[in-house]
Amino acid sequence: MSDSFPFEIQAECRVTRARAGLLHTAHGIVETPVFMPVGTQATVKGLAPRELAGDLDVRILLANTYHLYLRPGPDLIRAMGGLHRFMSWPRAILTDSGGFQVFSLSGLRKITAEGVVFQSHLNGDTHTFTPESTVEAQLAFGSDILMVLDECPEYPVSHEYARTAMQRTVGWARTAHAYFEQRRAELPTRHALFPIVQGSMFADLRRECAAQLVELQADGYAIGGLSVGEPRPLSLEMVETAEALLPRARPRYAMGVGLPEELPEYVARGVDMMDCVLPSRNARNGCLFTSQGTVRIKQARYREDVRPLDPRCKCYTCTCFSRAYLRHLFQAGEILYAALATLHNVKRYLDIMREIRHAILSGGYPEYLQTVRSAPVEIE
Amino acid sequence: MSDSFPFEIQAECRVTRARAGLLHTAHGIVETPVFMPVGTQATVKGLAPRELAGDLDVRILLANTYHLYLRPGPDLIRAMGGLHRFMSWPRAILTDSGGFQVFSLSGLRKITAEGVVFQSHLNGDTHTFTPESTVEAQLAFGSDILMVLDECPEYPVSHEYARTAMQRTVGWARTAHAYFEQRRAELPTRHALFPIVQGSMFADLRRECAAQLVELQADGYAIGGLSVGEPRPLSLEMVETAEALLPRARPRYAMGVGLPEELPEYVARGVDMMDCVLPSRNARNGCLFTSQGTVRIKQARYREDVRPLDPRCKCYTCTCFSRAYLRHLFQAGEILYAALATLHNVKRYLDIMREIRHAILSGGYPEYLQTVRSAPVEIE
């Protein structure tokens, strides 16, 4: 497996489970730990590809299979030369399987061992996702990293239901994996497929799931079913539990996390990859992450504030505009607000990841963790 | 007057009234004829200043006094170091007087010889604009080119009312001009003030208005009250009528015009400056102007169209993205659509202006006019 998807570990923390590495994809090298901005509908809301590559030096983006499957559809994207070409993004792309959105967005019809029948949230049309069909859709997109179809139960859920869903997810992972290996052998392009550890907030189910998925000897492993409303200590505990069973040599991806102050915590628990809509969604809602804490830009205190949003940040937003101007754009509902705010928030996430990586590589991660744990979250 | 606002005519067409020139402002030289993108609320919707200056090489922007007066207010903008600094735009800015919006947007209360009392469209608060106060607001913004307060009647309107409104506008222009001259003498910064020729669609009133305003020996002259719903031949006729009386050595600005195919017509009638929300507003609505005609991007014919929006255009949108991708972004309601579409439409306007200027400078404007008059408006 690893021949087609080399992952090189460069350094490991002497105290925590943190590690720094390099992921070699067909669309460039990704330095880990990495945060992947979310490009739901083949665009990161508010940012152009040249800003993602130029201003932010993003190496890998996430796109959502559910959304792209419904609109514009895998056939169209394949006809357009794949997602990279369609959205003019020459670097790596990871796509989820669509499972999460099927369970959270759509009018769900029926789950069976074969797959899931659901209704589009756009127009109510009925569609079916199977482990094979979601691999096929992601291959049509030309994704560098594909995810297996999984069932992501809501929180809280009974142990009994969580077990059923987890077992179904393992079954789907086996089917998807076999199908993917067969398809991969036929393709000239290079792709990886990650199964997803589920099990809700039950440590025994997480362990059982991880143990079964490890047998697949997959290219990497995702930990899913997080950020569904559970208390944060529980998410971290579930990651710890699953991670202990995952192969050291393969990348681990914690799906849908997290807040800026949580990123170092996941990394300390052996996570190499993360994604989250928070930096972009919160930006649009007026919640801006800075090195000094969170700025809620609509507050009257920023009305005449000539200072940059984050004086330590080197992004276009912070080097050219004042808090007062950003507040004005936000209050006036201007498009430029979303663009400048998203640019900054994503930059903040990437800056944190660069600090984390630097601390691991230089052997100072435990000290870094101490410092960030005592930093204020809200601006005083 | 002209010492503080030099306008240099470089070439005049041998057949039409078109001319090419250079406007020397305190924030750089503007090549005319010029199209000014509209930055209503201190931002051109969908574009960052670095795109306006970098991608598009825009030399002068328009901003709206009515909107900026209400939010964030002239005091705040003055405290922030003026509009240029507030919006991070180092090049020239022209502001209108707010008259047009008072008459089109606000709950109007009362017009007198002294000014106009109106209600904010945002919260219903009562405000007063006088010829002096709108000059003062525009000086607080630090505008390079200010406009006098004018009354812009709707269309159609009786000759009687149009005369009353025109006479009031002339009175306001005299007051504003005297106030401006006094303020200008006190200021270290360099500004110009343009009165506005009104008179609805009545040639006699346009002539009467122009003749009276010319006595002010202003820095330049605007022709207002256009694009209020009148048939296009009438707008062109009113410009012709007014322009014949305006001093040749001063720039003429046709306010709020026009469609791409109309730009050369106004220039042929002696217009040096234009502004319009059409390129940006139509972009957002899915109407894209190309060298081959208008593209309505939501049409199904563009669903799988891999071609650039305009194969002859060199903008970021046309060099990196397909019509199919733009259509997808439009259908999905993505912010990036507005950004890419606006970038292209404004580029198209500026490309037309560059063609026009080149044709005038090279002596081929009559031939250019023939060619564009026979070009298709809608894409076949």
Side-chain angles (χ1 to χ4, degrees), chain B residues 286-317:
Chain B
C287 173
L288 299 166
F289 301 118
T290 81
S291 61
Q292 283 135 46
T294 301
V295 165
R296 302 190 190 271
I297 199 66
K298 72 181 263 186
Q299 289 178 355
R301 66 206 281 201
Y302 302 120
R303 209 185 105 79
E304 303 199 19
D305 193 335
V306 292
R307 290 174 297 173
L309 175 56
D310 185 343
R312 286 187 220 154
C313 179
K314 304 269 183 268
C315 81
Y316 175 56
T317 307

PDB file of all heavy atoms in Angstrom, chain B residues 286-317:
ATOM      1  N   GLY B 286     -25.382  37.247 -12.830  1.00  0.00           N
ATOM      2  CA  GLY B 286     -25.158  36.200 -13.825  1.00  0.00           C
ATOM      3  C   GLY B 286     -25.053  36.704 -15.249  1.00  0.00           C
ATOM      4  O   GLY B 286     -25.039  35.897 -16.188  1.00  0.00           O
ATOM      5  N   CYS B 287     -24.982  38.010 -15.433  1.00  0.00           N
ATOM      6  CA  CYS B 287     -24.892  38.590 -16.775  1.00  0.00           C
ATOM      7  C   CYS B 287     -23.463  39.064 -17.005  1.00  0.00           C
ATOM      8  O   CYS B 287     -23.008  40.023 -16.384  1.00  0.00           O
ATOM      9  CB  CYS B 287     -25.892  39.743 -16.863  1.00  0.00           C
ATOM     10  SG  CYS B 287     -25.748  40.679 -18.373  1.00  0.00           S
ATOM     11  N   LEU B 288     -22.772  38.380 -17.899  1.00  0.00           N
ATOM     12  CA  LEU B 288     -21.344  38.608 -18.077  1.00  0.00           C
ATOM     13  C   LEU B 288     -21.069  39.169 -19.462  1.00  0.00           C
ATOM     14  O   LEU B 288     -21.554  38.644 -20.469  1.00  0.00           O
ATOM     15  CB  LEU B 288     -20.603  37.282 -17.859  1.00  0.00           C
ATOM     16  CG  LEU B 288     -20.815  36.712 -16.447  1.00  0.00           C
ATOM     17  CD1 LEU B 288     -20.361  35.267 -16.352  1.00  0.00           C
ATOM     18  CD2 LEU B 288     -20.094  37.571 -15.417  1.00  0.00           C
ATOM     19  N   PHE B 289     -20.300  40.250 -19.504  1.00  0.00           N
ATOM     20  CA  PHE B 289     -20.006  40.925 -20.756  1.00  0.00           C
ATOM     21  C   PHE B 289     -18.706  40.374 -21.351  1.00  0.00           C
ATOM     22  O   PHE B 289     -17.686  40.346 -20.674  1.00  0.00           O
ATOM     23  CB  PHE B 289     -19.871  42.433 -20.518  1.00  0.00           C
ATOM     24  CG  PHE B 289     -21.103  43.064 -19.925  1.00  0.00           C
ATOM     25  CD1 PHE B 289     -21.065  43.666 -18.679  1.00  0.00           C
ATOM     26  CD2 PHE B 289     -22.305  43.041 -20.627  1.00  0.00           C
ATOM     27  CE1 PHE B 289     -22.212  44.254 -18.131  1.00  0.00           C
ATOM     28  CE2 PHE B 289     -23.459  43.627 -20.086  1.00  0.00           C
ATOM     29  CZ  PHE B 289     -23.398  44.231 -18.837  1.00  0.00           C
ATOM     30  N   THR B 290     -18.776  39.926 -22.612  1.00  0.00           N
ATOM     31  CA  THR B 290     -17.562  39.417 -23.247  1.00  0.00           C
ATOM     32  C   THR B 290     -17.345  40.139 -24.576  1.00  0.00           C
ATOM     33  O   THR B 290     -18.235  40.851 -25.061  1.00  0.00           O
ATOM     34  CB  THR B 290     -17.634  37.893 -23.512  1.00  0.00           C
ATOM     35  OG1 THR B 290     -18.391  37.667 -24.717  1.00  0.00           O
ATOM     36  CG2 THR B 290     -18.277  37.142 -22.362  1.00  0.00           C
ATOM     37  N   SER B 291     -16.168  39.912 -25.156  1.00  0.00           N
ATOM     38  CA  SER B 291     -15.864  40.542 -26.442  1.00  0.00           C
ATOM     39  C   SER B 291     -16.744  39.976 -27.548  1.00  0.00           C
ATOM     40  O   SER B 291     -16.814  40.532 -28.637  1.00  0.00           O
ATOM     41  CB  SER B 291     -14.386  40.332 -26.779  1.00  0.00           C
ATOM     42  OG  SER B 291     -14.109  38.950 -26.885  1.00  0.00           O
ATOM     43  N   GLN B 292     -17.443  38.846 -27.255  1.00  0.00           N
ATOM     44  CA  GLN B 292     -18.323  38.252 -28.257  1.00  0.00           C
ATOM     45  C   GLN B 292     -19.803  38.437 -27.939  1.00  0.00           C
ATOM     46  O   GLN B 292     -20.665  37.853 -28.601  1.00  0.00           O
ATOM     47  CB  GLN B 292     -18.006  36.761 -28.401  1.00  0.00           C
ATOM     48  CG  GLN B 292     -16.738  36.517 -29.212  1.00  0.00           C
ATOM     49  CD  GLN B 292     -15.843  35.481 -28.583  1.00  0.00           C
ATOM     50  OE1 GLN B 292     -16.304  34.425 -28.170  1.00  0.00           O
ATOM     51  NE2 GLN B 292     -14.561  35.775 -28.489  1.00  0.00           N
ATOM     52  N   GLY B 293     -20.094  39.230 -26.912  1.00  0.00           N
ATOM     53  CA  GLY B 293     -21.481  39.452 -26.522  1.00  0.00           C
ATOM     54  C   GLY B 293     -21.724  39.016 -25.093  1.00  0.00           C
ATOM     55  O   GLY B 293     -20.807  38.568 -24.407  1.00  0.00           O
ATOM     56  N   THR B 294     -22.976  39.110 -24.675  1.00  0.00           N
ATOM     57  CA  THR B 294     -23.336  38.834 -23.288  1.00  0.00           C
ATOM     58  C   THR B 294     -23.532  37.338 -23.052  1.00  0.00           C
ATOM     59  O   THR B 294     -24.187  36.669 -23.841  1.00  0.00           O
ATOM     60  CB  THR B 294     -24.638  39.582 -22.941  1.00  0.00           C
ATOM     61  OG1 THR B 294     -24.409  40.976 -23.148  1.00  0.00           O
ATOM     62  CG2 THR B 294     -25.039  39.347 -21.503  1.00  0.00           C
ATOM     63  N   VAL B 295     -22.966  36.852 -21.963  1.00  0.00           N
ATOM     64  CA  VAL B 295     -23.158  35.469 -21.539  1.00  0.00           C
ATOM     65  C   VAL B 295     -24.056  35.478 -20.312  1.00  0.00           C
ATOM     66  O   VAL B 295     -23.747  36.155 -19.331  1.00  0.00           O
ATOM     67  CB  VAL B 295     -21.796  34.815 -21.198  1.00  0.00           C
ATOM     68  CG1 VAL B 295     -21.990  33.511 -20.416  1.00  0.00           C
ATOM     69  CG2 VAL B 295     -20.995  34.546 -22.465  1.00  0.00           C
ATOM     70  N   ARG B 296     -25.185  34.753 -20.380  1.00  0.00           N
ATOM     71  CA  ARG B 296     -26.033  34.575 -19.185  1.00  0.00           C
ATOM     72  C   ARG B 296     -25.672  33.208 -18.617  1.00  0.00           C
ATOM     73  O   ARG B 296     -26.092  32.178 -19.114  1.00  0.00           O
ATOM     74  CB  ARG B 296     -27.504  34.695 -19.546  1.00  0.00           C
ATOM     75  CG  ARG B 296     -27.738  36.070 -20.173  1.00  0.00           C
ATOM     76  CD  ARG B 296     -29.155  36.486 -20.391  1.00  0.00           C
ATOM     77  NE  ARG B 296     -29.133  37.690 -21.213  1.00  0.00           N
ATOM     78  CZ  ARG B 296     -29.060  38.939 -20.733  1.00  0.00           C
ATOM     79  NH1 ARG B 296     -29.020  39.142 -19.441  1.00  0.00           N
ATOM     80  NH2 ARG B 296     -29.007  39.974 -21.549  1.00  0.00           N
ATOM     81  N   ILE B 297     -24.853  33.262 -17.569  1.00  0.00           N
ATOM     82  CA  ILE B 297     -24.103  32.078 -17.149  1.00  0.00           C
ATOM     83  C   ILE B 297     -24.988  30.962 -16.617  1.00  0.00           C
ATOM     84  O   ILE B 297     -24.574  29.805 -16.605  1.00  0.00           O
ATOM     85  CB  ILE B 297     -22.999  32.478 -16.131  1.00  0.00           C
ATOM     86  CG1 ILE B 297     -21.913  31.403 -16.024  1.00  0.00           C
ATOM     87  CG2 ILE B 297     -23.584  32.820 -14.761  1.00  0.00           C
ATOM     88  CD1 ILE B 297     -21.082  31.208 -17.272  1.00  0.00           C
ATOM     89  N   LYS B 298     -26.217  31.270 -16.202  1.00  0.00           N
ATOM     90  CA  LYS B 298     -27.047  30.188 -15.669  1.00  0.00           C
ATOM     91  C   LYS B 298     -27.623  29.306 -16.758  1.00  0.00           C
ATOM     92  O   LYS B 298     -28.134  28.225 -16.470  1.00  0.00           O
ATOM     93  CB  LYS B 298     -28.136  30.737 -14.752  1.00  0.00           C
ATOM     94  CG  LYS B 298     -29.263  31.470 -15.455  1.00  0.00           C
ATOM     95  CD  LYS B 298     -30.263  31.980 -14.449  1.00  0.00           C
ATOM     96  CE  LYS B 298     -31.443  31.023 -14.303  1.00  0.00           C
ATOM     97  NZ  LYS B 298     -32.487  31.585 -13.437  1.00  0.00           N
ATOM     98  N   GLN B 299     -27.541  29.726 -18.017  1.00  0.00           N
ATOM     99  CA  GLN B 299     -28.117  28.925 -19.099  1.00  0.00           C
ATOM    100  C   GLN B 299     -27.476  27.534 -19.178  1.00  0.00           C
ATOM    101  O   GLN B 299     -26.267  27.375 -19.010  1.00  0.00           O
ATOM    102  CB  GLN B 299     -27.946  29.652 -20.438  1.00  0.00           C
ATOM    103  CG  GLN B 299     -28.853  30.888 -20.551  1.00  0.00           C
ATOM    104  CD  GLN B 299     -28.662  31.643 -21.853  1.00  0.00           C
ATOM    105  OE1 GLN B 299     -27.787  31.295 -22.646  1.00  0.00           O
ATOM    106  NE2 GLN B 299     -29.455  32.674 -22.065  1.00  0.00           N
ATOM    107  N   ALA B 300     -28.328  26.543 -19.459  1.00  0.00           N
ATOM    108  CA  ALA B 300     -27.884  25.144 -19.495  1.00  0.00           C
ATOM    109  C   ALA B 300     -26.791  24.922 -20.539  1.00  0.00           C
ATOM    110  O   ALA B 300     -25.967  24.026 -20.398  1.00  0.00           O
ATOM    111  CB  ALA B 300     -29.077  24.234 -19.778  1.00  0.00           C
ATOM    112  N   ARG B 301     -26.744  25.763 -21.582  1.00  0.00           N
ATOM    113  CA  ARG B 301     -25.742  25.582 -22.634  1.00  0.00           C
ATOM    114  C   ARG B 301     -24.311  25.691 -22.108  1.00  0.00           C
ATOM    115  O   ARG B 301     -23.368  25.271 -22.766  1.00  0.00           O
ATOM    116  CB  ARG B 301     -25.964  26.623 -23.739  1.00  0.00           C
ATOM    117  CG  ARG B 301     -25.716  28.052 -23.253  1.00  0.00           C
ATOM    118  CD  ARG B 301     -26.485  29.080 -24.038  1.00  0.00           C
ATOM    119  NE  ARG B 301     -25.860  29.371 -25.313  1.00  0.00           N
ATOM    120  CZ  ARG B 301     -26.074  30.483 -26.009  1.00  0.00           C
ATOM    121  NH1 ARG B 301     -26.925  31.413 -25.539  1.00  0.00           N
ATOM    122  NH2 ARG B 301     -25.493  30.696 -27.144  1.00  0.00           N
ATOM    123  N   TYR B 302     -24.141  26.309 -20.932  1.00  0.00           N
ATOM    124  CA  TYR B 302     -22.787  26.464 -20.378  1.00  0.00           C
ATOM    125  C   TYR B 302     -22.435  25.368 -19.377  1.00  0.00           C
ATOM    126  O   TYR B 302     -21.347  25.377 -18.809  1.00  0.00           O
ATOM    127  CB  TYR B 302     -22.643  27.845 -19.728  1.00  0.00           C
ATOM    128  CG  TYR B 302     -22.930  28.971 -20.702  1.00  0.00           C
ATOM    129  CD1 TYR B 302     -23.949  29.887 -20.485  1.00  0.00           C
ATOM    130  CD2 TYR B 302     -22.171  29.098 -21.875  1.00  0.00           C
ATOM    131  CE1 TYR B 302     -24.224  30.892 -21.400  1.00  0.00           C
ATOM    132  CE2 TYR B 302     -22.445  30.097 -22.800  1.00  0.00           C
ATOM    133  CZ  TYR B 302     -23.478  30.987 -22.555  1.00  0.00           C
ATOM    134  OH  TYR B 302     -23.733  31.969 -23.464  1.00  0.00           O
ATOM    135  N   ARG B 303     -23.350  24.419 -19.160  1.00  0.00           N
ATOM    136  CA  ARG B 303     -23.157  23.396 -18.135  1.00  0.00           C
ATOM    137  C   ARG B 303     -21.843  22.623 -18.293  1.00  0.00           C
ATOM    138  O   ARG B 303     -21.135  22.382 -17.322  1.00  0.00           O
ATOM    139  CB  ARG B 303     -24.330  22.405 -18.178  1.00  0.00           C
ATOM    140  CG  ARG B 303     -24.646  21.774 -16.843  1.00  0.00           C
ATOM    141  CD  ARG B 303     -25.744  20.714 -16.967  1.00  0.00           C
ATOM    142  NE  ARG B 303     -25.170  19.374 -16.883  1.00  0.00           N
ATOM    143  CZ  ARG B 303     -24.818  18.781 -15.744  1.00  0.00           C
ATOM    144  NH1 ARG B 303     -25.026  19.365 -14.595  1.00  0.00           N
ATOM    145  NH2 ARG B 303     -24.264  17.576 -15.738  1.00  0.00           N
ATOM    146  N   GLU B 304     -21.530  22.233 -19.505  1.00  0.00           N
ATOM    147  CA  GLU B 304     -20.305  21.446 -19.715  1.00  0.00           C
ATOM    148  C   GLU B 304     -19.340  22.206 -20.613  1.00  0.00           C
ATOM    149  O   GLU B 304     -18.538  21.594 -21.334  1.00  0.00           O
ATOM    150  CB  GLU B 304     -20.640  20.086 -20.331  1.00  0.00           C
ATOM    151  CG  GLU B 304     -21.620  19.308 -19.477  1.00  0.00           C
ATOM    152  CD  GLU B 304     -21.627  17.812 -19.775  1.00  0.00           C
ATOM    153  OE1 GLU B 304     -20.648  17.314 -20.374  1.00  0.00           O
ATOM    154  OE2 GLU B 304     -22.604  17.149 -19.386  1.00  0.00           O
ATOM    155  N   ASP B 305     -19.426  23.509 -20.589  1.00  0.00           N
ATOM    156  CA  ASP B 305     -18.620  24.330 -21.495  1.00  0.00           C
ATOM    157  C   ASP B 305     -17.235  24.560 -20.883  1.00  0.00           C
ATOM    158  O   ASP B 305     -17.070  25.342 -19.952  1.00  0.00           O
ATOM    159  CB  ASP B 305     -19.354  25.654 -21.735  1.00  0.00           C
ATOM    160  CG  ASP B 305     -18.771  26.445 -22.902  1.00  0.00           C
ATOM    161  OD1 ASP B 305     -17.582  26.251 -23.222  1.00  0.00           O
ATOM    162  OD2 ASP B 305     -19.516  27.252 -23.485  1.00  0.00           O
ATOM    163  N   VAL B 306     -16.241  23.877 -21.433  1.00  0.00           N
ATOM    164  CA  VAL B 306     -14.879  23.965 -20.874  1.00  0.00           C
ATOM    165  C   VAL B 306     -14.168  25.254 -21.279  1.00  0.00           C
ATOM    166  O   VAL B 306     -13.084  25.543 -20.785  1.00  0.00           O
ATOM    167  CB  VAL B 306     -13.970  22.794 -21.331  1.00  0.00           C
ATOM    168  CG1 VAL B 306     -14.424  21.484 -20.731  1.00  0.00           C
ATOM    169  CG2 VAL B 306     -13.881  22.704 -22.851  1.00  0.00           C
ATOM    170  N   ARG B 307     -14.767  26.026 -22.188  1.00  0.00           N
ATOM    171  CA  ARG B 307     -14.077  27.226 -22.676  1.00  0.00           C
ATOM    172  C   ARG B 307     -14.027  28.328 -21.623  1.00  0.00           C
ATOM    173  O   ARG B 307     -14.882  28.403 -20.752  1.00  0.00           O
ATOM    174  CB  ARG B 307     -14.801  27.760 -23.926  1.00  0.00           C
ATOM    175  CG  ARG B 307     -14.645  26.880 -25.144  1.00  0.00           C
ATOM    176  CD  ARG B 307     -15.490  27.391 -26.280  1.00  0.00           C
ATOM    177  NE  ARG B 307     -16.907  27.340 -25.954  1.00  0.00           N
ATOM    178  CZ  ARG B 307     -17.866  27.840 -26.713  1.00  0.00           C
ATOM    179  NH1 ARG B 307     -17.566  28.455 -27.850  1.00  0.00           N
ATOM    180  NH2 ARG B 307     -19.135  27.746 -26.363  1.00  0.00           N
ATOM    181  N   PRO B 308     -13.022  29.199 -21.733  1.00  0.00           N
ATOM    182  CA  PRO B 308     -13.013  30.374 -20.861  1.00  0.00           C
ATOM    183  C   PRO B 308     -14.235  31.236 -21.172  1.00  0.00           C
ATOM    184  O   PRO B 308     -14.749  31.197 -22.302  1.00  0.00           O
ATOM    185  CB  PRO B 308     -11.746  31.129 -21.238  1.00  0.00           C
ATOM    186  CG  PRO B 308     -11.044  30.314 -22.254  1.00  0.00           C
ATOM    187  CD  PRO B 308     -11.913  29.192 -22.687  1.00  0.00           C
ATOM    188  N   LEU B 309     -14.657  32.018 -20.191  1.00  0.00           N
ATOM    189  CA  LEU B 309     -15.777  32.938 -20.388  1.00  0.00           C
ATOM    190  C   LEU B 309     -15.565  33.782 -21.647  1.00  0.00           C
ATOM    191  O   LEU B 309     -16.435  33.861 -22.510  1.00  0.00           O
ATOM    192  CB  LEU B 309     -15.869  33.834 -19.138  1.00  0.00           C
ATOM    193  CG  LEU B 309     -16.879  34.953 -19.144  1.00  0.00           C
ATOM    194  CD1 LEU B 309     -18.271  34.429 -19.425  1.00  0.00           C
ATOM    195  CD2 LEU B 309     -16.838  35.669 -17.790  1.00  0.00           C
ATOM    196  N   ASP B 310     -14.407  34.394 -21.763  1.00  0.00           N
ATOM    197  CA  ASP B 310     -14.076  35.201 -22.937  1.00  0.00           C
ATOM    198  C   ASP B 310     -12.657  34.831 -23.370  1.00  0.00           C
ATOM    199  O   ASP B 310     -11.691  35.215 -22.730  1.00  0.00           O
ATOM    200  CB  ASP B 310     -14.157  36.695 -22.582  1.00  0.00           C
ATOM    201  CG  ASP B 310     -13.952  37.589 -23.803  1.00  0.00           C
ATOM    202  OD1 ASP B 310     -13.445  37.095 -24.841  1.00  0.00           O
ATOM    203  OD2 ASP B 310     -14.290  38.783 -23.722  1.00  0.00           O
ATOM    204  N   PRO B 311     -12.547  34.048 -24.464  1.00  0.00           N
ATOM    205  CA  PRO B 311     -11.217  33.551 -24.860  1.00  0.00           C
ATOM    206  C   PRO B 311     -10.215  34.676 -25.149  1.00  0.00           C
ATOM    207  O   PRO B 311      -9.020  34.465 -25.075  1.00  0.00           O
ATOM    208  CB  PRO B 311     -11.509  32.748 -26.133  1.00  0.00           C
ATOM    209  CG  PRO B 311     -12.972  32.454 -26.095  1.00  0.00           C
ATOM    210  CD  PRO B 311     -13.613  33.588 -25.355  1.00  0.00           C
ATOM    211  N   ARG B 312     -10.716  35.890 -25.445  1.00  0.00           N
ATOM    212  CA  ARG B 312      -9.801  36.993 -25.749  1.00  0.00           C
ATOM    213  C   ARG B 312      -9.391  37.786 -24.513  1.00  0.00           C
ATOM    214  O   ARG B 312      -8.554  38.677 -24.594  1.00  0.00           O
ATOM    215  CB  ARG B 312     -10.460  37.956 -26.742  1.00  0.00           C
ATOM    216  CG  ARG B 312     -10.513  37.375 -28.146  1.00  0.00           C
ATOM    217  CD  ARG B 312     -11.009  38.405 -29.133  1.00  0.00           C
ATOM    218  NE  ARG B 312     -11.902  37.777 -30.086  1.00  0.00           N
ATOM    219  CZ  ARG B 312     -12.861  38.397 -30.756  1.00  0.00           C
ATOM    220  NH1 ARG B 312     -13.057  39.702 -30.583  1.00  0.00           N
ATOM    221  NH2 ARG B 312     -13.619  37.743 -31.606  1.00  0.00           N
ATOM    222  N   CYS B 313     -10.002  37.467 -23.381  1.00  0.00           N
ATOM    223  CA  CYS B 313      -9.744  38.253 -22.167  1.00  0.00           C
ATOM    224  C   CYS B 313      -8.575  37.654 -21.390  1.00  0.00           C
ATOM    225  O   CYS B 313      -8.424  36.438 -21.316  1.00  0.00           O
ATOM    226  CB  CYS B 313     -11.004  38.287 -21.302  1.00  0.00           C
ATOM    227  SG  CYS B 313     -10.815  39.201 -19.769  1.00  0.00           S
ATOM    228  N   LYS B 314      -7.765  38.525 -20.797  1.00  0.00           N
ATOM    229  CA  LYS B 314      -6.575  38.056 -20.075  1.00  0.00           C
ATOM    230  C   LYS B 314      -6.759  38.090 -18.555  1.00  0.00           C
ATOM    231  O   LYS B 314      -5.783  37.991 -17.816  1.00  0.00           O
ATOM    232  CB  LYS B 314      -5.378  38.946 -20.436  1.00  0.00           C
ATOM    233  CG  LYS B 314      -5.061  39.054 -21.923  1.00  0.00           C
ATOM    234  CD  LYS B 314      -4.068  37.997 -22.357  1.00  0.00           C
ATOM    235  CE  LYS B 314      -3.669  38.131 -23.818  1.00  0.00           C
ATOM    236  NZ  LYS B 314      -4.560  37.293 -24.685  1.00  0.00           N
ATOM    237  N   CYS B 315      -7.986  38.246 -18.089  1.00  0.00           N
ATOM    238  CA  CYS B 315      -8.184  38.341 -16.634  1.00  0.00           C
ATOM    239  C   CYS B 315      -8.021  36.975 -15.970  1.00  0.00           C
ATOM    240  O   CYS B 315      -8.029  35.936 -16.629  1.00  0.00           O
ATOM    241  CB  CYS B 315      -9.551  38.962 -16.303  1.00  0.00           C
ATOM    242  SG  CYS B 315     -10.936  37.819 -16.385  1.00  0.00           S
ATOM    243  N   TYR B 316      -7.870  36.983 -14.657  1.00  0.00           N
ATOM    244  CA  TYR B 316      -7.695  35.752 -13.873  1.00  0.00           C
ATOM    245  C   TYR B 316      -8.851  34.781 -14.132  1.00  0.00           C
ATOM    246  O   TYR B 316      -8.644  33.579 -14.332  1.00  0.00           O
ATOM    247  CB  TYR B 316      -7.615  36.122 -12.391  1.00  0.00           C
ATOM    248  CG  TYR B 316      -7.548  34.960 -11.425  1.00  0.00           C
ATOM    249  CD1 TYR B 316      -6.556  33.989 -11.523  1.00  0.00           C
ATOM    250  CD2 TYR B 316      -8.473  34.836 -10.388  1.00  0.00           C
ATOM    251  CE1 TYR B 316      -6.488  32.930 -10.618  1.00  0.00           C
ATOM    252  CE2 TYR B 316      -8.411  33.787  -9.483  1.00  0.00           C
ATOM    253  CZ  TYR B 316      -7.421  32.831  -9.608  1.00  0.00           C
ATOM    254  OH  TYR B 316      -7.370  31.789  -8.714  1.00  0.00           O
ATOM    255  N   THR B 317     -10.073  35.299 -14.144  1.00  0.00           N
ATOM    256  CA  THR B 317     -11.252  34.468 -14.371  1.00  0.00           C
ATOM    257  C   THR B 317     -11.155  33.731 -15.704  1.00  0.00           C
ATOM    258  O   THR B 317     -11.396  32.525 -15.774  1.00  0.00           O
ATOM    259  CB  THR B 317     -12.517  35.363 -14.360  1.00  0.00           C
ATOM    260  OG1 THR B 317     -12.507  36.121 -13.153  1.00  0.00           O
ATOM    261  CG2 THR B 317     -13.787  34.546 -14.455  1.00  0.00           C
TER     262      THR B 317
END
